[in-house]
PDB file of all heavy atoms in Angstrom:
ATOM      1  N   VAL B1139     117.619   5.525  50.402  1.00 90.00           N
ATOM      2  CA  VAL B1139     118.650   4.537  50.294  1.00 90.00           C
ATOM      3  C   VAL B1139     118.157   3.132  50.022  1.00 90.00           C
ATOM      4  O   VAL B1139     118.637   2.405  49.115  1.00 90.00           O
ATOM      5  CB  VAL B1139     119.537   4.515  51.590  1.00 90.00           C
ATOM      6  CG1 VAL B1139     120.632   3.449  51.446  1.00 90.00           C
ATOM      7  CG2 VAL B1139     120.335   5.865  51.790  1.00 90.00           C
ATOM      8  N   VAL B1140     117.136   2.733  50.651  1.00 91.00           N
ATOM      9  CA  VAL B1140     116.537   1.480  50.519  1.00 91.00           C
ATOM     10  C   VAL B1140     116.100   1.411  49.013  1.00 91.00           C
ATOM     11  O   VAL B1140     116.166   0.330  48.367  1.00 91.00           O
ATOM     12  CB  VAL B1140     115.460   1.162  51.505  1.00 91.00           C
ATOM     13  CG1 VAL B1140     114.651  -0.189  51.189  1.00 91.00           C
ATOM     14  CG2 VAL B1140     116.008   1.085  52.926  1.00 91.00           C
ATOM     15  N   GLN B1141     115.422   2.434  48.645  1.00 90.00           N
ATOM     16  CA  GLN B1141     114.860   2.338  47.134  1.00 90.00           C
ATOM     17  C   GLN B1141     116.015   2.395  46.140  1.00 90.00           C
ATOM     18  O   GLN B1141     115.887   1.535  45.345  1.00 90.00           O
ATOM     19  CB  GLN B1141     114.153   3.766  47.020  1.00 90.00           C
ATOM     20  CG  GLN B1141     113.561   3.918  45.602  1.00 90.00           C
ATOM     21  CD  GLN B1141     112.152   4.186  45.707  1.00 90.00           C
ATOM     22  OE1 GLN B1141     111.636   4.646  46.673  1.00 90.00           O
ATOM     23  NE2 GLN B1141     111.503   4.129  44.476  1.00 90.00           N
ATOM     24  N   ASP B1142     117.218   2.976  46.494  1.00 86.00           N
ATOM     25  CA  ASP B1142     118.291   2.886  45.504  1.00 86.00           C
ATOM     26  C   ASP B1142     118.742   1.371  45.521  1.00 86.00           C
ATOM     27  O   ASP B1142     119.054   0.814  44.440  1.00 86.00           O
ATOM     28  CB  ASP B1142     119.490   3.678  45.951  1.00 86.00           C
ATOM     29  CG  ASP B1142     119.258   5.135  45.522  1.00 86.00           C
ATOM     30  OD1 ASP B1142     118.332   5.390  44.766  1.00 86.00           O
ATOM     31  OD2 ASP B1142     120.029   6.010  46.067  1.00 86.00           O
ATOM     32  N   LEU B1143     118.843   0.855  46.697  1.00 86.00           N
ATOM     33  CA  LEU B1143     119.387  -0.554  46.828  1.00 86.00           C
ATOM     34  C   LEU B1143     118.331  -1.383  46.012  1.00 86.00           C
ATOM     35  O   LEU B1143     118.685  -2.320  45.257  1.00 86.00           O
ATOM     36  CB  LEU B1143     119.304  -0.896  48.320  1.00 86.00           C
ATOM     37  CG  LEU B1143     120.040  -2.222  48.581  1.00 86.00           C
ATOM     38  CD1 LEU B1143     121.454  -2.229  48.221  1.00 86.00           C
ATOM     39  CD2 LEU B1143     119.869  -2.534  50.146  1.00 86.00           C
ATOM     40  N   GLU B1144     117.084  -1.189  46.230  1.00 87.00           N
ATOM     41  CA  GLU B1144     116.049  -2.057  45.574  1.00 87.00           C
ATOM     42  C   GLU B1144     116.190  -1.994  43.979  1.00 87.00           C
ATOM     43  O   GLU B1144     116.217  -2.980  43.342  1.00 87.00           O
ATOM     44  CB  GLU B1144     114.699  -1.479  45.956  1.00 87.00           C
ATOM     45  CG  GLU B1144     113.442  -2.293  45.296  1.00 87.00           C
ATOM     46  CD  GLU B1144     112.114  -1.707  45.511  1.00 87.00           C
ATOM     47  OE1 GLU B1144     112.063  -0.706  46.233  1.00 87.00           O
ATOM     48  OE2 GLU B1144     111.205  -2.228  45.046  1.00 87.00           O
ATOM     49  N   GLU B1145     116.464  -0.722  43.479  1.00 84.00           N
ATOM     50  CA  GLU B1145     116.621  -0.620  42.045  1.00 84.00           C
ATOM     51  C   GLU B1145     117.826  -1.333  41.568  1.00 84.00           C
ATOM     52  O   GLU B1145     117.745  -2.044  40.552  1.00 84.00           O
ATOM     53  CB  GLU B1145     116.678   0.935  41.667  1.00 84.00           C
ATOM     54  CG  GLU B1145     115.429   1.629  41.595  1.00 84.00           C
ATOM     55  CD  GLU B1145     115.517   3.133  41.681  1.00 84.00           C
ATOM     56  OE1 GLU B1145     116.566   3.559  41.139  1.00 84.00           O
ATOM     57  OE2 GLU B1145     114.456   3.777  42.083  1.00 84.00           O
ATOM     58  N   SER B1146     118.840  -1.274  42.225  1.00 80.00           N
ATOM     59  CA  SER B1146     120.147  -2.014  41.894  1.00 80.00           C
ATOM     60  C   SER B1146     119.905  -3.498  41.920  1.00 80.00           C
ATOM     61  O   SER B1146     120.340  -4.283  41.078  1.00 80.00           O
ATOM     62  CB  SER B1146     121.308  -1.753  42.831  1.00 80.00           C
ATOM     63  OG  SER B1146     121.598  -0.296  42.773  1.00 80.00           O
ATOM     64  N   MET B1147     119.127  -3.991  42.920  1.00 82.00           N
ATOM     65  CA  MET B1147     118.762  -5.354  43.038  1.00 82.00           C
ATOM     66  C   MET B1147     117.931  -5.858  41.907  1.00 82.00           C
ATOM     67  O   MET B1147     118.139  -6.933  41.256  1.00 82.00           O
ATOM     68  CB  MET B1147     118.035  -5.643  44.419  1.00 82.00           C
ATOM     69  CG  MET B1147     118.881  -5.368  45.509  1.00 82.00           C
ATOM     70  SD  MET B1147     120.332  -6.263  45.822  1.00 82.00           S
ATOM     71  CE  MET B1147     119.770  -7.734  46.494  1.00 82.00           C
ATOM     72  N   VAL B1148     116.947  -4.951  41.558  1.00 82.00           N
ATOM     73  CA  VAL B1148     115.985  -5.247  40.402  1.00 82.00           C
ATOM     74  C   VAL B1148     116.976  -5.335  39.056  1.00 82.00           C
ATOM     75  O   VAL B1148     116.694  -6.267  38.239  1.00 82.00           O
ATOM     76  CB  VAL B1148     114.943  -4.169  40.208  1.00 82.00           C
ATOM     77  CG1 VAL B1148     114.276  -4.299  38.821  1.00 82.00           C
ATOM     78  CG2 VAL B1148     113.977  -4.305  41.410  1.00 82.00           C
ATOM     79  N   GLY B1149     117.830  -4.442  38.968  1.00 77.00           N
ATOM     80  CA  GLY B1149     118.770  -4.577  37.743  1.00 77.00           C
ATOM     81  C   GLY B1149     119.584  -5.931  37.809  1.00 77.00           C
ATOM     82  O   GLY B1149     119.677  -6.477  36.671  1.00 77.00           O
ATOM     83  N   LEU B1150     119.946  -6.316  38.904  1.00 75.00           N
ATOM     84  CA  LEU B1150     120.716  -7.537  38.997  1.00 75.00           C
ATOM     85  C   LEU B1150     119.845  -8.751  38.535  1.00 75.00           C
ATOM     86  O   LEU B1150     120.146  -9.670  37.847  1.00 75.00           O
ATOM     87  CB  LEU B1150     121.243  -7.711  40.400  1.00 75.00           C
ATOM     88  CG  LEU B1150     122.238  -8.794  40.597  1.00 75.00           C
ATOM     89  CD1 LEU B1150     123.605  -8.455  39.851  1.00 75.00           C
ATOM     90  CD2 LEU B1150     122.604  -8.882  42.084  1.00 75.00           C
ATOM     91  N   ILE B1151     118.519  -8.576  39.139  1.00 78.00           N
ATOM     92  CA  ILE B1151     117.651  -9.859  38.877  1.00 78.00           C
ATOM     93  C   ILE B1151     117.239  -9.753  37.409  1.00 78.00           C
ATOM     94  O   ILE B1151     117.081 -10.905  36.672  1.00 78.00           O
ATOM     95  CB  ILE B1151     116.314  -9.510  39.731  1.00 78.00           C
ATOM     96  CG1 ILE B1151     116.624  -9.785  41.158  1.00 78.00           C
ATOM     97  CG2 ILE B1151     115.179 -10.454  39.219  1.00 78.00           C
ATOM     98  CD1 ILE B1151     115.603  -9.298  42.076  1.00 78.00           C
ATOM     99  N   ARG B1152     117.168  -8.635  36.746  1.00 76.00           N
ATOM    100  CA  ARG B1152     116.800  -8.542  35.363  1.00 76.00           C
ATOM    101  C   ARG B1152     117.812  -9.292  34.533  1.00 76.00           C
ATOM    102  O   ARG B1152     117.622  -9.893  33.548  1.00 76.00           O
ATOM    103  CB  ARG B1152     116.821  -7.141  34.877  1.00 76.00           C
ATOM    104  CG  ARG B1152     115.609  -6.858  33.968  1.00 76.00           C
ATOM    105  CD  ARG B1152     115.261  -5.434  33.870  1.00 76.00           C
ATOM    106  NE  ARG B1152     116.372  -4.640  34.411  1.00 76.00           N
ATOM    107  CZ  ARG B1152     116.768  -3.438  33.790  1.00 76.00           C
ATOM    108  NH1 ARG B1152     116.182  -2.975  32.740  1.00 76.00           N
ATOM    109  NH2 ARG B1152     117.604  -2.741  34.388  1.00 76.00           N
ATOM    110  N   LEU B1153     119.157  -9.131  34.989  1.00 71.00           N
ATOM    111  CA  LEU B1153     120.251  -9.655  34.239  1.00 71.00           C
ATOM    112  C   LEU B1153     120.112 -11.299  34.149  1.00 71.00           C
ATOM    113  O   LEU B1153     120.572 -11.868  33.257  1.00 71.00           O
ATOM    114  CB  LEU B1153     121.543  -9.399  34.901  1.00 71.00           C
ATOM    115  CG  LEU B1153     122.209  -8.119  34.631  1.00 71.00           C
ATOM    116  CD1 LEU B1153     123.490  -7.960  35.235  1.00 71.00           C
ATOM    117  CD2 LEU B1153     122.293  -7.870  32.970  1.00 71.00           C
TER     118      LEU B1153
END
Side-chain angles (χ1 to χ4, degrees):
Chain B
V1139 172
V1140 173
Q1141 179 128 13
D1142 279 352
L1143 190 63
E1144 182 190 354
E1145 279 165 25
S1146 298
M1147 298 300 272
V1148 167
L1150 196 64
I1151 290 164
R1152 219 162 20 142
L1153 279 184

